[in-house]
Structure formats: structure tokens, C-alpha cells
Amino acid sequence: NGSIVITSLSKPFGLYQLRWLKDSVTTVAVNTLAINNLAPGMYYLVATDSNGCSKSIFKEVVVPLPMAVMNETFVQVRNDTCGFNTGAINNITVNSDVAVNYQWYEGTQMVGSTLNLSRLNAGTYYLKATDARGCEVISRTYTVRNDTSSLPAPRYNDVVITRYNNALLAIKNALRVPVTYQLFADAAATQLLASNTTGNFTIPQVAANTTVYFRVMAGGCYSAITMAQIKVVDETIIIIPNAFSPNGDGVNDAWRIEITGLLFVNSLKVFNRWGQEVLNTKQITTGWDGKINGKPLPVGTYYYILDGIGAFNKRVFQKGAVTILR
């Protein structure tokens, strides 16, 4: 696509026959001062007057400008996993003396405009690099496959509930990619009870000790089967810590009472060593920060009384000591 344009002659154009020669041999145009679509080579303009006398009046070399050079020696292809769009194609380099635009294609569909391509699903891709002169170089095609390796097995804690109550099973290691969690009644994963995308399940009105099973799936990938046990009790279980350290270090900063089963709290009261009340509440699951009126209480031993109604309308009355450490 080279070209030569002569803008003027020293004598009138109409006095001469003009002929363009490539490499002194091949005629490429006549009677024109501009020639286009030229390949590399030496071009001469020859003028012939009315007497038949000819003379070369101009010559110029059309040289090939360097094209972009694509180097695919160190290309790296990473396969997709379980349809999560984790595939990638990296380490192709393009050398050019002018700016280059990049276009990745999957078939006829453009899927990227950077030199490295990421977040790919399974497919076949190629890169087209176009320099500022409009010259293109195209890579080989690269196939990204879908690896169906195992997913991390979901983890759940065993739970204890009172009979005929709902059991909440909360996942401990939820994945940050779209997956489906499945709940089964059997270890062979043939009796599907429920499925969702959160990994948290509620089993209503559990009447007896039960074992349930879990699995994660995405595309063609599955995790191993895991299990959790639901233990049913006919009583209210209360676990009251005997110390806590509200020092702001993020460890054991609040006094939290754990309740398994039903409990209607009449009151939870805490007293200092002189019998002065420093806490009176019905909200026992939110935790106490060891303060009174927003001010930290001093280190020492305090005494509590928990009064309420538990499972089967049984009276719950517990008292004991809790130590504040700092």
C-alpha cells in the first residue's frame, strides 16, 4: 500500500508522455504524477518529449515499514474450573514501533481488548493485533478446557435442639463463587431434601436424633459428602461462662450466655461484691460488655441470677459468679 505523489514539474505536464517503472523494468502507470498500491522497490518516472527523447526525471525507493511481531513462545493457557470462568491466556508479546490495538475472539465474537485474557470459560480463542497503520497479525488458536476437579467439601457444626423445634444448619466455609448446596437424608446422596445457593438450611420440627448429609455442586464438579448430627433433647441447656475480658482485643470481649432449647427470660441480674446491681436485662444472647451506664466496671468477681421458664414450662433459676479480667 505504498504511494508516491509528485506535486509539480519544472515544465508543463502536457509536453511529455510520462511512464512509471518499477526497478527500471516493469511499467506500473502512465501519464500520472501519483501512483498508489505500491509494493516495496525502486520506482522511476521517465518523461518522453515530442521528439521521442526519453529521460528519467525522478526516482524513489518504497521501503516496507516493519510490521508488528507476535511472540507466542512463552504463552500460558490456564483452564477453567467447574464453569467458574477462571480460565486465562497470558504471556503473548507483541513488538511494534507504533501503537497496537488488541482484540481477542472466540469464533466471530470479540471477548477481550487487552494483551492478556482472563475470566474465561471453556472455548477456543485467538488474538488479533492491529497496529496504527492498519496492519494485522493473528495468533494461533488456543483451547481453554473445563477442569472438573472436586470442590471443597462443605463444613457444618453439629447442633443440639429441643424436640419438635427447627434445626438451623449454617455453613462454615461458603464459597465466593456461584455454587449449589445440597442437603440429603442419606450418605449415598440419593434422597435430596433441599438445595440452595447460600448453604444454610432449616429442618423443621425435628422429633428425634438425626444425621443429615451435604454436598456442593457447580457445573460438572462435586464435593465430597459431609455430615452433621442433630441431637434432640427434652430440656433447656444453659451454658454460662465464668469469666470474660472486655479489653477490646477481639477475644472474649463480652459475656455471652449460650441457650439450647426454649427459654423465656424473666430477668438476668448481675451484682458487685457489695450487692449493688450493675446489670438487669432480659436480653441475654446479645452479650454484656462489662459496663454500667457506659463506663467499664473494675476487674473483679461479680454475681449473677438468671430467672426464667424453660422447656415444658419448667422453672429455670441459676446463680453463680463471673469474673471480669483485663
Side-chain angles (χ1 to χ4, degrees):
N1 63 353
S3 64
I4 300 173
V5 178
I6 295 177
T7 57
S8 64
L9 297 175
S10 60
K11 293 186 178 180
F13 175 87
L15 296 180
Y16 302 92
Q17 292 291 323
L18 300 178
R19 183 161 54 103
W20 286 95
L21 299 177
K22 178 176 183 271
D23 299 327
S24 301
V25 176
T26 304
T27 300
V28 295
V30 295
N31 292 332
T32 179
L33 295 180
I35 51 176
N36 301 295
N37 302 318
L38 304 180
M42 178 70 76
Y43 290 84
Y44 298 85
L45 180 59
V46 177
T48 303
D49 64 15
S50 58
N51 295 318
C53 297
S54 298
K55 182 180 179 181
S56 175
I57 61 172
F58 176 85
K59 68 176 181 180
E60 186 59 81
V61 177
V62 173
V63 299
L65 294 175
M67 291 182 60
V69 177
M70 185 176 292
N71 186 346
E72 302 173 67
T73 304
F74 303 104
V75 65
Q76 295 179 338
V77 178
R78 184 175 69 236
N79 289 332
D80 188 17
T81 303
C82 305
F84 291 154
N85 290 2
T86 58
I89 303 173
N90 297 312
N91 286 359
I92 295 178
T93 59
V94 177
N95 296 319
S96 175
D97 64 332
V98 292
V100 177
N101 292 322
Y102 304 104
Q103 293 177 316
W104 280 98
Y105 288 88
E106 182 182 14
T108 59
Q109 178 71 32
M110 194 180 84
V111 295
S113 58
T114 58
L115 186 56
N116 293 320
L117 191 60
S118 60
R119 301 183 62 82
L120 300 180
N121 55 17
T124 300
Y125 302 87
Y126 68 91
L127 172 65
K128 179 188 293 185
T130 305
D131 67 20
R133 305 183 185 102
C135 299
E136 297 177 352
V137 287
I138 297 177
S139 73
R140 301 189 298 268
T141 58
Y142 296 95
T143 299
V144 174
R145 305 185 187 281
N146 185 29
D147 289 339
T148 55
S149 56
S150 296
L151 295 172
R155 299 197 310 269
Y156 293 83
N157 290 337
D158 297 338
V159 296
V160 180
I161 63 170
T162 53
R163 196 177 305 275
Y164 302 116
N165 272 324
N166 297 341
L168 174 62
L169 295 154
I171 190 166
K172 310 299 291 183
N173 60 333
L175 298 176
R176 296 183 179 181
V177 291
V179 295
T180 298
Y181 298 91
Q182 297 176 311
L183 170 67
F184 295 93
D186 63 316
T190 60
Q191 302 178 50
L192 180 65
L193 299 177
S195 64
N196 61 41
T197 58
T198 65
N200 299 323
F201 296 93
T202 299
I203 302 177
Q205 300 179 345
V206 181
N209 291 345
T210 304
T211 301
V212 290
Y213 302 86
F214 305 90
R215 183 175 71 180
V216 181
M217 62 173 292
C221 297
Y222 294 88
S223 74
I225 301 291
T226 57
M227 58 176 279
Q229 293 182 334
I230 304 170
K231 183 180 179 181
V232 172
V233 297
D234 291 321
E235 59 181 334
T236 299
I237 299 174
I238 304 173
I239 300 176
I240 303 179
N242 59 11
F244 68 110
S245 55
N247 54 12
D249 65 354
V251 179
N252 204 26
D253 280 334
W255 186 49
R256 300 185 188 278
I257 298 176
E258 298 182 17
I259 305 296
T260 298
L262 297 175
L263 179 65
F264 177 79
V265 178
N266 291 324
S267 67
L268 172 65
K269 298 179 180 180
V270 179
F271 304 88
N272 63 19
R273 58 187 299 183
W274 297 282
Q276 297 170 322
E277 187 178 274
V278 296
L279 177 68
N280 189 336
T281 183
K282 293 184 178 182
Q283 303 297 324
I284 67 172
T285 58
T286 56
W288 179 44
D289 59 4
K291 296 179 181 179
I292 181 171
N293 299 324
K295 295 181 179 180
L297 289 167
V299 169
T301 301
Y302 296 79
Y303 304 90
Y304 64 83
I305 299 175
L306 174 61
D307 182 20
I309 304 296
F312 305 101
N313 290 321
K314 293 181 180 179
R315 176 76 182 276
V316 173
F317 188 83
Q318 288 186 226
K319 59 183 180 179
V322 58
T323 302
I324 295 178
L325 306 171
R326 297 191 192 278

